[in-house]
Amino acid sequence: MGMAALGPCSRGPQQSPLTIPGGTRQSPINIQWRDSVYDPFLKPLKISYDPATCLHIWNNGYSFLVEFDDSTDRSIIDGGPLENQYRLKQFHFHWGAINDWGSEHTVDCKFYPAELHLVHWNAVVYPTFEEAVMEGDGLAVIGVFLKLGARHEGLQTLVDALPAVKHKDTVIEFDVFDPSCLMPSCPDYWTYAGSLTTPPLTESVTWIIKKQPIEVDEDQLEAFRMLLFTSDGEEEKRMVDNFRPLQPLMNRTVRSSFQ
Ligand SMILES: NS(=O)(=O)c1ccc(S(=O)(=O)c2ccccc2)s1
Ligand SMILES: [Zn+2]
């Protein structure tokens, strides 16, 4: 059975972390800024998303996912630490019940109220997403921290649609959205080899964590918190604290694209 992962940071209420027995590259982790190593060979991350590839918003009972048509290379990322281009499949968020926590990764043990994950897969090497999920270089996830501040106009179009996916297993069409509007202006990022943070927890993710957070306001965070883990007709459980506890760094180095 997995040993409890006693990370360096303490976060509020924390279930005993589910560590994968034998896992050596689990996520999320605390990024200790001074321990990250500048890698001058890291390229700038290239992002080119086609807003028309946006399909729908789905409450899957864990988060809300904005899913994209990944049958072609119309929405991709390239460069950065990646050896191939990766196709955008979906993006989703993790958040807390209150603003003191909610992100999955931390920076010098600082939690953010929420974290955005844009999930991409290596369609150059693997024929399907499902196969890519099982391979060490199969997935690339961009993590963007959300901090409390000004209202985010680009996010608002998404927030306005959330009441329609309040319950688990509800979906609504969402046919034009450009996730580039959720990217911070600063190009700096950290990168490390990690895993999915929800089952199947496979160690197939190249994480690219943006250094600069984006700002959202309290009403926008509250809109996330009015979603439900539960289906219509079940006793309501608010969708909050849908983050995994910090996992041990083990034998990994976090690289930075900046000095
Ligand atoms: N939080 S995270 O970005 O690490 C993450 C968890 C799950 C996914 S997935 O939707 O790609 C997926 C992958 C395999 C099976 C089902 C969903 S991405
Ligand atoms: Zn995630």
Side-chain angles (χ1 to χ4, degrees):
M1 64 120 185
M3 57 163 192
L6 299 177
C9 318
S10 62
R11 182 194 319 245
Q14 185 170 328
Q15 70 271 37
S16 66
L18 168 70
T19 50
I20 285 287
T24 59
R25 53 176 277 193
Q26 290 291 294
S27 295
I29 60 170
N30 172 58
I31 296 168
Q32 202 64 37
W33 194 313
R34 67 177 178 281
D35 294 344
S36 62
V37 177
Y38 169 59
D39 179 349
F41 297 103
L42 282 173
K43 304 185 188 76
L45 189 61
K46 284 183 296 179
I47 292 174
S48 57
Y49 295 147
D50 175 350
T53 56
C54 191
L55 294 173
H56 52 252
I57 308 175
W58 170 38
N59 177 335
N60 71 349
Y62 186 79
S63 182
F64 65 93
L65 278 62
V66 180
E67 301 205 282
F68 289 78
D69 168 8
D70 60 349
S71 60
T72 71
D73 284 333
R74 283 187 297 167
S75 288
I76 55 149
I77 58 171
D78 203 346
L82 305 172
E83 287 173 20
N84 300 121
Q85 70 176 26
Y86 285 63
R87 268 186 206 165
L88 176 65
K89 169 109 181 131
Q90 53 101 329
F91 69 81
H92 62 275
F93 297 82
H94 303 262
W95 60 92
I98 61 172
N99 297 336
D100 294 353
W101 60 72
S103 60
E104 296 214 297
H105 293 86
T106 56
V107 179
D108 295 345
C109 295
K110 173 188 170 57
F111 314 113
Y112 287 89
E115 184 173 333
L116 160 65
H117 289 160
L118 296 122
V119 182
H120 310 76
W121 62 282
N122 184 346
V124 170
V125 173
Y126 305 109
T128 65
F129 170 76
E130 286 71 22
E131 284 177 79
V133 166
M134 308 311 289
E135 302 291 338
D137 62 348
L139 303 180
V141 181
I142 299 176
V144 181
F145 294 116
L146 276 61
K147 73 177 244 191
L148 195 58
R151 176 180 149 115
H152 194 295
E153 291 310 329
L155 183 68
Q156 194 55 35
T157 53
L158 186 49
V159 165
D160 289 339
L162 292 184
V165 287
K166 185 179 172 79
H167 293 98
K168 177 181 178 186
D169 293 332
T170 48
V171 187
I172 53 150
E173 192 180 314
F174 196 61
D175 47 10
V176 179
F177 185 80
D178 180 358
S180 309
C181 78
L182 299 175
M183 283 296 139
S185 55
C186 177
D188 296 346
Y189 62 85
W190 288 283
T191 184
Y192 78 96
S195 73
L196 296 174
T197 65
T198 64
L201 300 172
T202 45
E203 297 185 332
S204 54
V205 180
T206 298
W207 281 96
I208 299 166
I209 306 289
K210 301 293 285 184
K211 180 182 82 174
Q212 184 183 51
I214 58 170
E215 290 191 18
V216 299
D217 71 11
E218 183 65 34
D219 290 345
Q220 294 177 315
L221 286 170
E222 277 305 317
F224 287 12
R225 298 176 181 133
M226 65 92 198
L227 294 169
L228 300 178
F229 282 128
T230 43
S231 305
D232 199 354
E234 287 180 337
E235 183 200 352
E236 294 202 348
K237 287 193 181 66
R238 286 191 316 143
M239 185 181 275
V240 292
D241 298 334
N242 55 356
F243 53 81
R244 189 191 191 194
L246 292 170
Q247 301 297 309
L249 183 62
M250 303 185 98
N251 181 29
R252 288 180 283 183
T253 300
V254 177
R255 290 181 289 161
S256 64
S257 70
F258 58 94
Q259 282 186 308

